[in-house]
């Protein structure tokens, strides 16, 4: 009996221990379940998270001046904010202008002459007018005699190695009188820039010959005409050497070229208004004439006939 009484309390103690362990295990499981629930946050976790959120610094609000002035990086290449897929509208002052963009070349105004020398169209020049005896109208331009004596000699500077030859000039006097003349001669130094030496017949349209010297203004004209351009080969011209002259052109002549096997070759202009080909290049072949406005005329079929004026069928446009 004694032994039986000693074994019974031992069983009871074991049962109580098992129950205690079971209760503790259940408590641990319940704690874990509560900790792992998404809508539940232990006090310790929340307490640790709140100081971190409180210490996060926020960017200060931009001032109006900072909003209006883009950063240097924005000036180079503006980029939309990642937070805002749609870029905000910028003011004209903040919109960056492209650098290195090609600039469109300005179109030349109507009537401009890119190949003109000292005498430009649509420009009024001031000077003085004198007069001389033009005789038969011939002069340094070597156009030859002409019944039209409304001619003038251009001062040495504006004559510009015969570039003024054939130009039509409107001359006006202070009294309102005017006359149109054609440049056929050169007025040598000391004729000053702007000065015109008119034939007596032309000067008389402005003032009495006794005046001798009067102030004038003058400008380049592109007159109406029914004539066409003519070509003349100089005395002594041949296949080995030639001088070529253009006559009757409406606008001042800028270039004369001859056709060669490799293209067009520009000839040198002389003070006596002929274009020379010292080696005979292009003599007797096709010619190309260019006026001060850049218009080009091609002439073919002109044979080498020294001193003969050979008409063509072409003429420069009026400006």
């Amino acid at each position: 009996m004694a032994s039986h009484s000693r074994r019974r309390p031992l069983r009871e103690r074991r049962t109580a221990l098992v129950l205690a362990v079971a209760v503790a295990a259940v408590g641990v499981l319940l704690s874990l379940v509560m900790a792992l629930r998404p809508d539940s946050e232990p006090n310790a976790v929340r307490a640790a998270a709140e100081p971190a959120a409180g210490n996060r610094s926020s960017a200060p609000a931009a001032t109006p001046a900072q909003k209006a002035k883009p950063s240097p990086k924005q000036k180079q290449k503006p980029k939309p904010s990642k937070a805002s897929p749609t870029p905000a509208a910028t003011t004209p002052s903040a919109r960056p202008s492209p650098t290195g963009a090609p600039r469109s070349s300005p179109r030349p105004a109507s009537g401009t002459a890119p190949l003109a020398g000292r005498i430009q169209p649509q420009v009024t020049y001031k000077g003085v007018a004198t007069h001389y005896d033009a005789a038969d109208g011939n002069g340094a331009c070597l156009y030859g005699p002409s019944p039209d004596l409304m001619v003038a000699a251009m001062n040495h500077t504006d004559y510009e190695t015969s570039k003024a030859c054939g130009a039509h000039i409107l001359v006006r006097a202070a009294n309102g009188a005017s006359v149109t003349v054609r440049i056929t001669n050169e007025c040598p130094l000391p004729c000053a820039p702007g000065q015109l030496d008119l034939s007596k017949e032309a000067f008389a349209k402005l003032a009495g010959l006794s005046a001798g010297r009067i102030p004038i203004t003058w400008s380049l004209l592109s007159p109406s005409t029914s004539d066409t351009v003519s070509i003349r080969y100089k005395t002594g011209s041949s296949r080995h050497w030639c001088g070529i002259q253009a006559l009757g052109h409406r606008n001042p002549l800028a270039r004369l070229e001859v056709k060669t096997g490799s293209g067009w070759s520009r000839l040198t202009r002389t003070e006596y208004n002929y274009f020379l080909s010292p080696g005979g290049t292009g003599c007797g072949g096709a010619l190309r004439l260019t006026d001060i406005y850049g218009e080009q005329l091609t002439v073919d079929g002109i044979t080498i006939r020294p001193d003969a004026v050979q008409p063509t069928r072409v003429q420069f446009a009026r400006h």
Side-chain angles (χ1 to χ4, degrees):
M1 294 294 294
S3 59
H4 178 74
S5 62
R6 284 197 296 268
R7 283 197 292 266
R8 187 173 181 182
L10 177 62
R11 289 177 182 175
E12 291 177 356
R13 287 196 300 270
R14 287 178 180 175
T15 301
L17 179 61
V18 170
L19 290 176
V21 171
V23 171
V26 171
V28 171
L29 288 175
L30 289 176
S31 299
L32 289 174
V33 170
M34 292 298 294
L36 294 177
R37 287 180 60 187
D39 56 348
S40 175
E41 187 176 21
N43 292 337
V45 175
R46 183 179 296 119
E50 286 178 351
N55 292 335
R56 185 182 300 123
S57 60
S58 59
T63 63
Q66 291 173 331
K67 291 181 180 180
K69 184 178 180 181
S71 65
K73 186 175 181 179
Q74 288 177 326
K75 290 183 179 180
Q76 295 175 1
K77 189 176 181 181
K79 296 181 180 179
S81 171
K82 293 182 180 179
S84 304
T86 304
T90 55
T91 61
S93 60
R95 183 179 297 121
S97 57
T99 59
R103 296 181 180 179
S104 57
S105 301
R107 297 180 60 183
S110 176
T112 58
L115 300 180
R118 290 180 57 85
I119 303 175
Q120 298 280 337
Q122 301 180 357
V123 176
T124 299
Y125 299 89
K126 293 182 179 181
V128 296
T130 52
H131 60 78
Y132 74 107
D133 186 359
D136 59 4
N138 198 9
C141 296
L142 294 187
Y143 285 132
S146 171
D148 181 13
L149 295 182
M150 292 295 109
V151 295
M154 181 63 70
N155 67 83
H156 172 76
T157 303
D158 296 325
Y159 183 76
E160 203 173 2
T161 314
S162 77
K163 198 165 188 176
C165 286
H168 296 266
I169 303 295
L170 174 63
V171 188
R172 296 184 182 277
N175 60 9
S178 65
V179 63
T180 299
V181 296
R182 184 168 61 101
I183 302 301
T184 62
N185 208 348
E186 177 186 10
C187 183
L189 297 173
C191 279
Q195 182 175 349
L196 292 176
D197 203 19
L198 307 177
S199 67
K200 291 181 178 179
E201 291 78 3
F203 190 95
K205 299 286 185 179
L206 303 177
L209 295 179
S210 59
R213 183 186 184 96
I214 59 173
I216 57 167
T217 58
W218 55 272
S219 56
L220 181 67
L221 289 181
S222 180
S224 60
T225 179
S226 58
D227 296 336
T228 59
V229 177
S230 296
I231 300 296
R232 177 164 56 194
Y233 276 93
K234 197 178 187 309
T235 303
S237 294
S238 68
R239 292 284 181 181
H240 308 288
W241 177 95
C242 67
I244 309 173
Q245 183 185 56
L247 305 88
H249 41 86
R250 173 185 274 125
N251 307 315
L253 194 64
R255 297 173 182 169
L256 190 150
E257 300 166 286
V258 294
K259 189 66 174 292
T260 67
S262 57
W264 292 100
S265 178
R266 183 177 176 182
L267 301 185
T268 301
R269 192 173 197 166
T270 66
E271 291 186 355
Y272 51 87
N273 197 34
Y274 272 89
F275 294 82
L276 300 185
S277 177
T281 302
C283 295
L287 308 175
R288 186 165 71 178
L289 312 178
T290 306
D291 69 1
I292 62 173
Y293 297 96
E295 182 182 359
Q296 295 181 329
L297 305 175
T298 302
V299 180
D300 204 353
I302 304 295
T303 60
I304 301 176
R305 294 169 53 194
D307 300 324
V309 176
Q310 303 181 62
T312 71
R313 298 181 180 180
V314 296
Q315 181 59 274
F316 292 114
R318 188 179 184 187
H319 291 264

